Amino acid sequence: MQTPVPDYLKHVLSQCQRNVGGQLADYIPELAQADPNKLALALSTADGMIYSSGDDGHEFTIQSMSKPFAYALVLEQLGIEEVLQKVGVEPSGEAFNQISLDKELNIPKNPMINSGAITTHSLIQTTAGISRAEQLRRFLSELAGRELSFDEQVYTSEMKTAFRNLSIGYMLRTVGALDTDPVEIVNGYIQQCAIKVTVKDLANIARVLANGGLHPKTGECLLDRAVVRQVLSVMLSCGMYDAAGDWLTTVGIPAKSGVSGGIIGVLPGQVGIAVFSPRVDEHGNSVRGIDIFERLSADMGLHLMEGTPSAQTIIQSCYWAGKNDDVRVYELRGVLQFTESEMLLRNLQEEPPGDTTIVLDLTNLTLIHDVGARMLFEGVERLQQDGHRVVVVDSEGILSEAQMKGNKRVVVKEKLTKYLEKFQ
Ligand code: GLN
């Protein structure tokens, strides 16, 4: 049997190929030379699988899709609070290259528009001899899992016509948002935009964000969880510039577009998606890219606001066991977050006080969030106060050391069937 996912991706591309709307961006002369027919799509899962279709080996410049990652890098380096002093998180509702600032705070409104991205670039910490753009190239290479390079032609071409970005740089310097040479910073920012990627690279990068900052294969922590949350939130509210509201309602996936024709999207815990097609609309967003994302979101139910109600299914089964039918077993399944824990504890509330043994079996849980663990052990304690002996069976070791802290006495690592033999 072969999974139908690759066929499905191919089908989506063939549907969108007919859409020839939009124009090649020409304010960067080199981008006007792109082949308008190129079309590629890659999808990665949070556990690391990558599917791709179309021109998936074709390299293009990352452009504004570099912005969330420059932001991630400085958040890692300086911490969220310090970065917030320099760049805000409010959607601007303006074009990406608007020469604008937050009127009250005198700082750029967000890191996804050029004024915010240029300021963010200036915050990248480097060691002597390494430029900020190079620092970011190394960081993106690590996330992509291969050595990325700069497109010198696109860089040189954009530098020749960078009047608007230079005005933004001077404006930022004037108000003190930049404290170094604006020409050097704009130069570095334009280099950052000229890093070359394929849709597969972007899907590799996206899967790290989808997986909460951990490398899906090695488990190595590449980005702090709080940083991932910050970056995805800003992508959701500001990633598509002055089309962000339209995108949020129709697609509902945190995303970032680049004027070269790429869009990278991340649905936390689920998938990363990357598309490429060079014709862009008046906002600088890929026309076919939007089309593809709209179809994927609708067909695969990926809209962020379409949460799956999993609370009702948290209790897989509940039964009596033991020689005298006096052991009450709750087998749990799925993910234990707040709503599932609330449902579990609401059910446990029905247990009349007494000295029965209550077994909570975590074997079929796929994930326990910290709030789930806290509520679980709070429930254990309350059942104990009612006179029960309570045992948590964690044969798969899903609870982390930190989550178990102070409750190790009630956790057993045996298989449920083995544990229940004691009562026969
Ligand atoms: N390098 C481009 C610029 O600064 C990036 C813009 C974009 O991709 N939207 O104008």
Side-chain angles (χ1 to χ4, degrees):
M1 194 292 263
Q2 282 218 319
T3 158
V5 176
D7 300 334
Y8 169 67
L9 297 187
K10 235 186 245 160
H11 170 74
V12 170
L13 284 191
S14 71
Q15 295 287 305
C16 295
Q17 201 145 23
R18 300 181 202 137
N19 187 343
V20 291
Q23 308 267 313
L24 293 175
D26 57 4
Y27 76 100
I28 302 174
E30 192 63 24
L31 290 186
Q33 305 305 314
D35 175 355
N37 297 317
K38 288 271 184 272
L39 180 60
L41 164 60
L43 182 143
S44 52
T45 62
D47 68 344
M49 181 66 200
I50 302 247
Y51 299 97
S52 61
S53 196
D55 301 305
D56 57 0
H58 177 72
E59 286 189 320
F60 49 92
T61 51
I62 191 166
Q63 298 300 338
S64 285
M65 290 176 289
S66 63
K67 292 171 180 172
F69 303 101
Y71 188 50
L73 180 58
V74 303
L75 290 171
E76 287 278 336
Q77 292 178 329
L78 301 174
I80 295 176
E81 282 314 311
E82 192 172 334
V83 177
L84 283 175
Q85 306 293 315
K86 305 274 189 181
V87 184
V89 287
E90 295 304 331
S92 67
E94 294 165 346
F96 68 90
N97 55 4
Q98 189 76 25
I99 306 176
S100 72
L101 284 178
D102 183 299
K103 293 209 171 47
E104 274 158 37
L105 303 170
N106 246 359
I107 59 171
K109 288 203 180 120
N110 68 67
M112 301 293 126
I113 49 172
N114 288 12
S115 58
I118 291 169
T119 307
T120 304
H121 181 86
S122 78
L123 299 175
I124 297 176
Q125 310 291 300
T126 56
T127 42
I130 297 176
S131 69
R132 297 176 180 89
E134 169 61 14
Q135 189 75 30
L136 183 69
R137 188 200 64 78
R138 292 182 186 184
F139 178 58
L140 279 169
S141 300
E142 192 185 13
L143 297 180
R146 90 173 171 108
E147 220 38 60
L148 304 175
S149 57
F150 293 105
D151 187 322
E152 294 299 333
Q153 261 166 299
V154 173
Y155 160 68
T156 317
S157 171
E158 184 167 0
M159 274 311 287
K160 282 193 192 133
T161 55
F163 313 115
R164 207 172 172 96
N165 281 331
L166 284 167
S167 348
I168 294 175
Y170 281 114
M171 181 268 297
L172 292 168
R173 184 73 180 94
T174 309
V175 297
L178 283 187
D179 49 18
T180 40
D181 176 13
V183 178
E184 182 201 324
I185 297 300
V186 169
N187 189 327
Y189 159 75
I190 287 173
Q191 237 179 324
Q192 146 183 343
C193 291
I195 295 172
K196 282 188 285 187
V197 287
T198 65
V199 284
K200 278 198 202 166
D201 294 325
L202 292 174
N204 266 314
I205 295 170
R207 68 182 186 171
V208 178
L209 293 183
N211 197 34
L214 304 181
H215 189 287
K217 296 279 188 211
T218 63
E220 189 191 344
C221 182
L222 299 176
L223 285 169
D224 190 78
R225 213 182 172 81
V227 166
V228 173
R229 195 178 69 181
Q230 181 80 4
V231 170
L232 291 181
S233 306
V234 175
M235 282 167 75
L236 184 62
S237 56
C238 315
M240 301 302 276
Y241 311 120
D242 37 345
D246 195 14
W247 179 266
L248 177 54
T249 47
T250 53
V251 178
I253 298 174
K256 185 74 208 78
S257 62
V259 77
S260 52
I263 306 179
I264 181 171
V266 178
L267 192 61
Q270 297 199 46
V271 292
I273 298 172
V275 298
F276 174 68
S277 174
R279 276 186 286 249
V280 296
D281 65 12
E282 66 279 17
H283 306 288
N285 300 330
S286 167
V287 172
R288 280 173 174 165
I290 296 173
D291 197 347
I292 296 172
F293 264 92
E294 283 180 353
R295 284 170 199 262
L296 294 181
S297 173
D299 292 354
M300 303 198 289
L302 295 179
H303 197 294
L304 203 62
M305 298 306 162
E306 276 186 34
T308 11
S310 58
Q312 281 76 0
T313 54
I314 187 67
I315 300 175
Q316 176 170 324
S317 57
C318 171
Y319 52 90
W320 290 103
K323 196 163 61 225
N324 306 318
D325 264 356
D326 56 356
V327 179
R328 189 92 170 125
V329 183
Y330 285 82
E331 289 188 24
L332 309 183
R333 71 161 164 220
V335 177
L336 197 62
Q337 303 195 76
F338 172 76
T339 48
E340 296 81 17
S341 316
E342 185 276 336
M343 177 63 81
L344 171 65
L345 297 189
R346 204 183 326 154
N347 275 267
L348 289 170
Q349 193 168 252
E350 303 299 316
E351 287 293 336
D355 58 2
T356 47
T357 297
I358 295 183
V359 176
L360 302 170
D361 176 40
L362 312 187
T363 307
N364 294 324
L365 285 184
T366 48
L367 190 69
I368 299 195
H369 281 265
D370 289 347
V371 60
R374 283 202 305 275
M375 288 176 71
L376 177 82
F377 289 120
E378 178 66 34
V380 168
E381 202 179 309
R382 289 175 183 229
L383 287 168
Q384 287 168 334
Q385 280 163 9
D386 280 354
H388 297 287
R389 182 177 133 75
V390 190
V391 177
V392 173
V393 174
D394 182 23
S395 61
E396 296 295 317
I398 193 158
L399 284 165
S400 68
E401 282 292 317
Q403 290 175 336
M404 256 186 300
K405 204 163 152 254
N407 293 291
K408 278 197 172 144
R409 294 160 287 111
V410 298
V411 179
V412 303
K413 299 278 182 188
E414 283 169 274
K415 291 244 176 282
L416 178 66
T417 41
K418 189 100 193 97
Y419 179 74
L420 291 177
E421 278 171 17
K422 291 190 183 40
F423 299 90
Q424 293 307 324

